[in-house]
Amino acid sequence: LIGRLMFELPEEMGLIAVAVRQTQGKGRGGNVWLSPVGCALSTLHISIPLHSNLGQRIPFIQHLVSLAVVEAVRSIPGYEDIELRVKWPNDIYYSDLMKLGGVLVNSTLIETTFHILIGFGFNVNNSNPTICINDLIAKFNKEEGTELEPLSADCLIARTVTVLERLIEIFQEKGPNGVLPRYYKYWIHSGKQVHLRDEEGPLAWIVGIDDYGYLQVHEEGKGVESVHPDGNSFDMLRNLIVPK
């Protein structure tokens, strides 16, 4: 629906589709995405000029959206310590333990404008099949003696889009360095180790992401290199390939 509408509307007009549930949800690489009632599910259309900071670094959009979802919760007064985090390249996690959301970005370049469709979904209210944001809030209340209210999917979608708009503005003005400190504050990878090339490959330490959104790792004696997922493993960070 949005794919048809996005070229018919004025550029300055925002466009978002919100679903209560999806029957044919899609994930990365053609995976099925479970979308029951109780999740925040939406597709957002944005336009990004090719000759802009973000237009030259389009892969960064998925990182900005993941960060926006986390900040949508953790920027609410009292909710700052809810253990919601980002996992590179496009997942929302409870600590480094369980996935509760994800982001899928599709882009089309027409003349000098990227038309971006951002699909994002995260579990707000379902204790199964993994864990949900309101479970994390209930857990926090029990441990800390607080009385934080559960959150609604509508509220979190609205806050996510609002935060994302601001993150894009900052990125366009200052580039990656304008948002990376906020991203690293919430990501799960600092100091973690990964194998390069295959299961038996050399170990490297994750140090950050580069100007184009690729993961940077440090292999002993070889300095810092940019890598990307092998695309085959269930765990996106089990193996990483070093680009030539």
Side-chain angles (χ1 to χ4, degrees), residues 48-58 109 111-114:
I48 301 290
L50 170 63
H51 303 296
S52 66
N53 267 330
L54 191 50
Q56 295 296 300
R57 300 168 176 84
I58 283 297
L109 180 62
E111 294 179 350
T112 58
T113 302
F114 277 109

Side-chain angles (χ1 to χ4, degrees), residues 2 16-26 33-44 69 100-102 118-124 126 152-158 160-161:
I2 286 201
I16 188 169
V18 177
V20 174
R21 70 182 283 261
Q22 294 177 137
T23 56
Q24 297 180 53
K26 293 184 176 71
W33 180 264
L34 297 176
S35 310
V37 174
C39 291
L41 306 163
S42 35
T43 300
L44 172 70
V69 172
L100 49 70
I118 300 165
F120 60 93
F122 47 97
N123 189 356
V124 180
N126 299 306
S152 72
D154 289 350
C155 163
L156 290 179
I157 289 170
T160 296
V161 173

Side-chain angles (χ1 to χ4, degrees), residues 95-157:
S95 185
D96 60 352
L97 300 172
M98 275 187 271
K99 177 175 176 174
L100 49 70
V103 176
L104 189 65
V105 176
N106 290 299
S107 62
T108 305
L109 180 62
I110 297 180
E111 294 179 350
T112 58
T113 302
F114 277 109
H115 289 270
I116 314 290
L117 289 181
I118 300 165
F120 60 93
F122 47 97
N123 189 356
V124 180
N125 241 356
N126 299 306
S127 297
N128 291 310
T130 55
I131 197 168
C132 66
I133 288 171
N134 284 335
D135 282 346
L136 300 187
I137 294 168
K139 178 175 179 287
F140 184 82
N141 283 339
K142 188 175 179 181
E143 291 172 353
E144 302 296 327
T146 50
E147 296 183 358
L148 300 178
E149 294 289 327
L151 301 172
S152 72
D154 289 350
C155 163
L156 290 179
I157 289 170

Side-chain angles (χ1 to χ4, degrees), residues 88 180 184 187 205-210 214-217 224:
W88 182 92
L180 280 176
Y184 292 144
W187 86 331
W205 283 265
I206 296 174
V207 294
I209 55 178
D210 67 16
Y214 288 117
L215 208 63
Q216 290 180 309
V217 299
V224 175

